[in-house]
Amino acid sequence: MNGPGRRRAILRAMPNLSLHDLPLDHAYAALGDSYHARVHPASLSDARLLHFNADAAALIGLPPAAAQDPRFLDVMAGNAELPGGDYLASLYAGHQFGQWVPQLGDGRAMLVAAVGSPGGGSWELQLKGAGQTPFSRFADGRAVLRSSIREYLCSEAMHHLGIPTTRALSLVGSAEPVRRETLETAAVVCRMAPSFVRFGHFEVFYYRNQHDQLRPLADHVIQRHFPQLWDRPDRYRAWLTEVCERTARLMAGWQTVGFCHGVMNTDNMSILGLTLDYGPYGFMDGFESGHICNHSDEGGRYAYDQQPRIGHWNVSRLVQATLPLLHEDPEAAVEIGTAILEAYGLAYGQDVVQRWRAKIGLREHRDGDEQLINRFLTLLHQGRSDFTRSFRHLSRIRAADTGPATGVREEILAQEAFDAWVEDYRARLRAEGSDDAARAAAMNAVNPKYVLRNHLAQHCIERAEAGDSSEIGRLMDLLARPFDEQPESEAYAAEPPPEARHISVSCSS
Ligand code: AMP
Ligand code: MG
């Protein structure tokens, strides 16, 4: 039986399984004290389970009924420790906005344990916002409800868009006051990932000149997460090459759904190539190639069109930090490292073109395709047309038609440029004998109808802050099927109303 099938069978067999019954392991803890600090969650007043994600729960063999067990809420809130858990905050550092910061670490996230997955592999459970750790510096170890809802919703939305990401198991709200610009309340998200190791976990030991610490960490990551590379004589080279490729493909995924991360510091980069640490991120509404979603990013270092370049800069920092693993002779190590980094550009170039091509419904590769794609993006940019809606509507174009593409051009603000483009686009479709219906179906499977627009998240947050958390479930259900027409939810596919176009999102969380 395959993974999901086996998982379903186990769930049927054990409908009363609770979080407390799951088999735990502690491979990260076993790395030793130099990699983490032991911690305990702080208590949370008036904790309430605002959402339980049955979809993520199934990954660890947890049935929906598990959320009814009062002990589940206690653990997810940090009001009780999971028996057998080994709570720890991990040590890392990173480059923030290009500047080296020698020590960061989990200042408000705690690893509970890894849980074996019925489908194979394992998932680490991490509580974000459960209180201070030795790495909190002067901060409170908490996360506000607003930012927790944003992380909870978006990580799941990304997953259902097919983009690698951390997952989220539960969202707990509370009456615990937290001071930010104003007084807010604390929340705790339980995140799940096979590993939360970041590029910064390696950087910290490289720059501290503790190079002996690099190998055990790299071996831990490879053994558990890249087992197919373990026996290779060039293990570290093969592993870093794959991290470069995964990061490149992640960037291609972000670019082609119009997602801006906002804080691509090396401490927010996952060694597994997952989208990690959702802060002031945003899906673009109107397309602007230099869009900056984080209003603290004054120089636009992490603007939309910079993301692929920054991805390369970040993998370069990782490769630099792991040079001691590549060769004992520093010059030879640099040579190998330079060769490894070439994988990034190759993987990005291939993947992004293939994704854009799929978005405009091209089956075959032909000369001029990239120009056709770039012309479309340019005219979206010129009119600041809605990114998601524009691509979604393209599937309505018929290859044999002539003249303006009614029903599509209304979405586009640079209409004359669009009319000219459509002529060339139709000719290109005819050249590969494209079938309208088949193409529309394929395009609608890659161009989402629904994304987590800022104004949708904002509306959900405002309602939850006023005590009504029902919109969280509503959005979770909607965004679990982003490619499906959901006629009852048509309004969620609309552009933001004018007053909500410029919601600005800060780093404060
Ligand atoms: P972030 O901007 O969320 O990626 O966080 C950058 C660093 O600051 C990480 O080391 C976080 O753990 C830490 N941090 C952010 N917010 C808090 C907080 N409220 N309490 C403690 N540490 C925090
Ligand atoms: Mg972070």
Side-chain angles (χ1 to χ4, degrees):
M1 204 181 299
N2 63 15
R6 201 166 140 242
R7 196 152 58 227
R8 277 192 297 275
I10 290 173
L11 290 182
R12 267 197 304 278
M14 307 185 76
N16 298 322
L17 202 70
S18 83
L19 180 65
H20 290 65
D21 302 321
L22 297 179
L24 308 179
D25 87 64
H26 304 292
Y28 190 83
L31 277 170
D33 293 345
S34 39
Y35 297 87
H36 53 72
R38 289 254 144 49
V39 292
H40 300 283
S43 66
L44 192 67
S45 59
D46 197 11
R48 279 158 298 131
L49 186 61
L50 301 183
H51 200 268
F52 170 79
N53 183 9
D55 200 44
L59 295 170
I60 51 170
L62 210 54
Q68 311 303 323
D69 183 338
R71 297 176 306 166
F72 179 81
L73 171 59
D74 287 345
V75 170
M76 293 292 118
N79 281 331
E81 292 192 22
L82 182 65
D86 193 353
Y87 286 64
L88 57 88
S90 68
L91 170 68
Y92 57 84
H95 281 86
Q96 299 194 315
F97 290 90
Q99 302 297 315
W100 172 242
V101 182
Q103 188 177 307
L104 293 160
D106 291 321
R108 54 170 168 176
M110 339 187 146
L111 184 64
V112 176
V115 183
S117 164
S122 69
W123 291 86
E124 288 184 348
L125 302 187
Q126 191 189 60
L127 299 180
K128 182 169 179 179
Q132 287 174 314
T133 78
F135 308 118
S136 300
R137 291 165 287 170
F138 299 103
D140 57 12
R142 291 300 189 187
V144 295
L145 177 62
R146 157 177 63 81
S147 69
S148 304
I149 290 176
R150 284 174 52 86
E151 168 138 18
Y152 190 75
L153 291 175
C154 197
S155 60
E156 288 305 298
M158 291 292 265
H159 167 70
H160 292 290
L161 287 169
I163 297 180
T165 175
T166 58
R167 304 291 304 273
L169 176 63
S170 66
L171 172 66
V172 173
S174 79
E176 194 80 30
V178 179
R179 165 69 57 192
R180 294 291 180 263
E181 283 86 2
T182 60
L183 206 57
E184 303 187 45
T185 57
V188 179
V189 173
C190 179
R191 303 195 288 199
M192 292 175 31
S195 170
F196 287 97
V197 171
R198 303 152 188 263
F199 292 4
H201 281 92
F202 293 92
E203 290 180 283
V204 71
F205 295 118
Y206 176 74
Y207 290 100
R208 280 183 178 184
N209 252 316
Q210 297 176 340
H211 297 179
D212 290 349
Q213 311 283 349
L214 291 170
R215 192 179 299 265
L217 183 60
D219 286 351
H220 161 84
V221 168
I222 297 169
Q223 214 161 15
R224 284 180 71 96
H225 308 293
F226 300 81
Q228 71 284 6
L229 307 179
W230 182 254
D231 288 326
R232 286 180 52 155
D234 60 346
R235 177 193 296 171
Y236 302 113
R237 178 183 185 144
W239 161 62
L240 289 166
T241 303
E242 190 164 334
V243 177
C244 286
E245 289 168 351
R246 287 195 193 188
T247 306
R249 289 195 294 266
L250 181 68
M251 295 304 116
W254 288 359
Q255 295 308 100
T256 50
V257 292
F259 176 82
C260 299
H261 181 282
V263 202
M264 288 178 65
N265 296 333
T266 54
D267 51 294
N268 290 337
M269 298 297 291
S270 152
I271 203 71
L272 303 184
L274 309 174
T275 312
L276 170 65
D277 277 9
Y278 291 84
Y281 68 82
F283 283 91
M284 263 186 289
D285 297 303
F287 179 63
E288 189 184 343
S289 57
H291 176 71
I292 303 168
C293 65
N294 173 2
H295 86 163
S296 321
D297 181 11
E298 280 157 21
R301 180 180 170 86
Y302 299 140
Y304 168 79
D305 58 2
Q306 298 300 309
Q307 296 188 132
R309 188 180 65 74
I310 292 291
H312 183 265
W313 193 85
N314 288 344
V315 291
S316 305
R317 301 288 69 73
L318 173 68
V319 169
Q320 177 167 4
T322 49
L323 286 178
L325 299 177
L326 293 174
H327 205 286
E328 58 208 20
D329 168 31
E331 272 180 39
V334 168
E335 206 168 301
I336 300 169
T338 308
I340 289 171
L341 287 170
E342 282 173 19
Y344 180 93
L346 289 173
Y348 181 76
Q350 271 176 7
D351 199 51
V352 85
V353 170
Q354 182 261 323
R355 285 173 186 264
W356 286 125
R357 194 182 265 121
K359 282 178 81 75
I360 67 168
L362 302 181
R363 251 186 6 253
E364 297 173 2
H365 296 206
R366 299 208 174 193
D367 284 348
D369 287 352
E370 283 178 51
Q371 262 172 304
L372 195 68
I373 292 159
N374 284 333
R375 273 174 64 203
F376 184 61
L377 290 172
T378 303
L379 67 89
L380 291 189
H381 172 85
Q382 278 163 356
R384 304 292 190 271
S385 303
D386 190 85
F387 183 85
T388 306
R389 291 179 61 88
S390 298
F391 274 102
R392 182 78 180 184
H393 275 73
L394 271 191
S395 68
R396 300 182 183 183
I397 287 177
R398 286 184 297 258
D401 281 358
T402 51
T406 0
V408 185
R409 80 192 291 273
E410 293 74 12
E411 293 298 324
I412 311 286
L413 293 154
Q415 291 192 337
E416 276 173 31
F418 180 67
D419 292 343
W421 182 83
V422 163
E423 290 306 319
D424 295 338
Y425 176 52
R426 287 183 183 131
R428 171 66 184 79
L429 295 177
R430 290 193 296 269
E432 68 173 38
S434 190
D435 173 74
D436 287 340
R439 183 180 69 254
M443 288 172 77
N444 288 341
V446 293
N447 291 316
K449 169 122 182 178
Y450 300 102
V451 294
L452 183 61
R453 295 171 183 270
N454 262 332
H455 76 284
L456 299 178
Q458 189 57 31
H459 171 68
C460 175
I461 288 165
E462 283 164 16
R463 283 184 55 178
E465 286 177 338
D468 171 9
S469 55
S470 60
E471 189 67 9
I472 299 171
R474 174 105 185 71
L475 283 175
M476 287 288 278
D477 294 344
L478 178 84
L479 297 169
R481 297 190 293 124
F483 301 105
D484 291 0
E485 292 290 331
Q486 302 181 52
E488 69 290 358
S489 301
E490 196 62 34
Y492 289 81
E495 289 181 66
E499 68 279 9
R501 293 233 162 123
H502 302 290
I503 295 172
S504 108
V505 187
S506 76
C507 265
S508 142
S509 57

